Amino acid sequence: MKCVVCKGSAVIDVRRANANFCSEHFSKFCRDQTVRAIHEFQMAEPGDRLLVAVSGGKDSLAIWDILVGLGYEAEGLYVGLGIGEYSDNSGGYARRFADERGLKLIEVDLQGEYGYDIPTGSKAARRTPCSACGTSKRHIFDKAALDGGYDVLVTGHNLDDEAAVLFGNVLRWQTEYLARQMPVLPARNGFPKKVKPLVRLSERETAAYCIINGIDYVVDECPMSAGNRHLGYKDALNDIEVQSPGSKNEFYNGFLKRASQLFRDSVGATSEGSGDFLGRCERCGSPSETELCAFCRLVDRATGSPNESGGPTQPVTLLKRSEISRSDDRPPGGRTEVH
Amino acid sequence: MPGPALVSVVLERLEINRESVLVIRNGTIVPADERLEDDDVIEIRPVISGGAFEDRAGREARRLLDDRSGRGGGVADQ
């Protein structure tokens, strides 16, 4: 098998591109696909300060490596979730990656900062671990990006991740979710700009990028994600992909090009999910449609503090975007809500 | 498994979807048409990660799948 570019020995076949690559040209393929996504969706400008949410896994370390290689000022953020040996290992991979390259890695420890970890906190809050984890990470990512003055928050979501989410949303025709499923979300109402530059690369390709470029990553899956529903979607899509290479890319990128605008038009600015009409969490100042934001409610339930009962909170007066400034008059503690 | 055999054939015999793994020999990825010898030791590394996805559509679809498989409405959220 020969590299389609240099005719040297290929190490990987990328059937969806009808191409085989040697190590050097596969790495270039990955960088090119990332650059294309960044430009196509105006994810970042030269000179932007990027904060990369890093888990120690293949995707986040690959995108961090690619962005630094492209010349971006990109720093990392690792959240210690307290998931036993898995968290110990994943944190180690993130730290080693940063140390070996002289990159800055910000660390936030959930137990140390907020008094709970995912295994015990999710149980106490009667939430699934993935739900509690997602709420916690979104809050911490948003807060770190805004507090640190970063222009863009980067996550390592790849083509398989996005195609699986799209598949799930299409199965149930969740039009509001479909309207919001974009690889870039602009900064608004106390949320940082969020981007997913790996949407043109499959996770087989990000894993290969790491191995080829000597990036050690945590291979083990999070033990708490066992049975995650999206794994089933990924399997289904890969069954299609193996029969018809390029299907995942056509499905997701075809949606972005030809369908997503239709859902955005139909949902419109009246949607709560648009984020144009949000109040603020009375404790942490995050955008929220209730007195306490989802994260503060989770903290209370997970730690048994003030609103332990976890009962419904009162809706707050919703404000137009123009009425909400990004000033510093809110209490410390960050801001959140699903973005 | 006896060799020689192509990587793609080994994966087929093991009923592993080639899109969901990388095959590694001596620290190097080997492509699907590479011939593996009898004494080669390989790692078949899964590349599919679950992640912390959370959306209502997923929860509902999971419930449907569980219902369909007779597992009795095992909703992801407790």
Side-chain angles (χ1 to χ4, degrees):
Chain A
M1 191 181 280
K2 301 293 183 189
C3 172
V4 70
V5 181
C6 68
K7 310 304 177 194
S9 292
V11 296
I12 186 166
D13 50 298
V14 182
R15 297 172 72 217
R16 68 185 177 91
N18 195 27
N20 308 310
F21 293 107
C22 66
S23 297
E24 178 188 344
H25 290 112
F26 177 72
S27 295
K28 182 177 184 304
F29 167 78
C30 292
R31 285 192 297 272
D32 289 349
Q33 293 297 314
T34 305
V35 168
R36 188 170 163 187
I38 290 171
H39 289 168
E40 189 173 352
F41 297 102
Q42 299 174 311
M43 292 181 175
E45 301 293 330
D48 277 353
R49 289 183 67 232
L50 313 183
L51 181 63
V52 183
V54 178
S55 67
K58 63 188 188 314
D59 303 307
S60 56
L61 294 182
I63 189 56
W64 197 5
D65 186 79
I66 290 172
L67 289 171
V68 169
L70 291 172
Y72 287 99
E73 183 185 346
E75 297 174 344
L77 169 64
Y78 175 80
V79 179
L81 300 166
I83 307 176
E85 193 178 344
Y86 172 77
S87 287
D88 296 341
N89 287 341
S90 60
Y93 283 103
R95 282 177 214 111
R96 273 193 296 280
F97 179 92
D99 288 347
E100 287 170 5
R101 292 159 180 79
L103 299 172
K104 179 180 176 182
L105 178 68
I106 301 166
E107 293 195 48
V108 177
D109 182 68
L110 207 50
Q111 179 72 53
E113 293 279 333
Y114 298 101
Y116 69 98
D117 58 35
I118 293 301
T120 56
S122 62
K123 200 173 289 182
R126 292 187 294 173
R127 299 269 298 271
T128 60
C130 288
S131 167
C133 181
T135 300
S136 303
K137 287 198 293 192
R138 276 192 293 272
H139 176 89
I140 293 168
F141 291 169
D142 290 352
K143 175 173 163 48
L146 293 172
D147 289 353
Y150 293 92
D151 299 295
V152 183
L153 174 63
V154 179
T155 57
H157 294 89
N158 56 48
L159 173 60
D160 292 74
D161 296 328
E162 294 304 296
V165 170
L166 176 60
F167 190 66
N169 288 336
V170 168
L171 272 180
R172 302 295 297 170
W173 291 115
Q174 297 284 358
T175 53
E176 193 171 307
Y177 288 102
L178 289 165
R180 289 156 54 189
Q181 191 178 347
M182 293 292 292
V184 58
L185 292 170
R188 59 189 170 85
N189 290 358
F191 293 117
K193 180 178 181 179
K194 297 178 182 178
V195 304
K196 303 172 182 176
L198 289 182
V199 291
R200 298 191 63 86
L201 290 173
S202 73
E203 48 192 344
R204 181 171 178 267
E205 290 154 11
T206 61
Y209 178 88
C210 286
I211 294 167
I212 286 170
N213 288 279
I215 299 170
D216 283 334
Y217 63 89
V218 61
V219 175
D220 294 336
E221 264 300 288
C222 172
M224 311 215 76
S225 72
N228 184 297
R229 59 204 162 273
H230 281 85
L231 289 171
Y233 299 158
K234 287 183 174 182
D235 286 344
L237 289 168
N238 275 334
D239 284 345
I240 297 169
E241 181 78 13
V242 81
Q243 297 295 326
S244 178
S247 294
K248 287 184 293 193
N249 183 55
E250 281 298 314
F251 179 52
Y252 177 65
N253 283 295
F255 161 76
L256 293 179
K257 283 181 186 156
R258 296 191 285 278
S260 66
Q261 186 62 50
L262 302 175
F263 290 105
R264 285 200 297 280
D265 290 344
S266 68
V267 171
T270 57
S271 162
E272 291 180 357
S274 70
D276 283 342
F277 293 86
L278 287 176
R280 283 190 186 173
C281 172
E282 66 179 22
R283 183 183 302 163
C284 74
S286 302
S288 177
E289 290 164 357
T290 50
E291 285 176 353
L292 288 184
C293 68
F295 177 72
C296 286
R297 293 199 304 272
L298 171 64
V299 173
D300 283 351
R301 293 177 197 175
T303 61
S305 343
N307 273 355
E308 191 175 358
S309 65
T313 52
Q314 297 298 312
V316 296
T317 303
L318 301 183
L319 304 174
K320 288 184 180 178
R321 174 152 65 182
S322 58
E323 294 171 314
I324 304 174
S325 70
R326 292 176 68 170
S327 62
D328 295 319
D329 59 351
R330 73 197 115 201
R335 60 221 79 158
T336 193
E337 257 295 348
V338 177
H339 187 183
Chain B
M1 184 173 289
L6 296 179
V7 167
S8 58
V9 172
V10 170
L11 294 178
E12 276 175 27
R13 283 185 194 162
L14 294 172
E15 298 183 352
I16 294 173
N17 187 320
R18 60 194 283 177
E19 294 296 327
S20 65
V21 296
L22 288 169
V23 177
I24 302 168
R25 181 180 57 193
N26 298 328
T28 304
I29 300 169
V30 287
D33 74 341
E34 185 85 357
R35 196 173 84 155
L36 299 173
E37 302 300 336
D38 222 9
D39 55 353
D40 276 342
V41 177
I42 60 168
E43 175 193 357
I44 300 175
R45 183 179 293 189
V47 297
I48 307 299
S49 47
F53 298 101
E54 181 61 26
D55 63 66
R56 188 172 50 186
R59 279 199 300 276
E60 292 181 1
R62 172 71 178 280
R63 185 171 53 206
L64 286 174
L65 289 170
D66 286 347
D67 286 346
R68 198 180 57 181
S69 64
R71 277 178 280 174
V75 184
D77 272 344
Q78 286 99 39

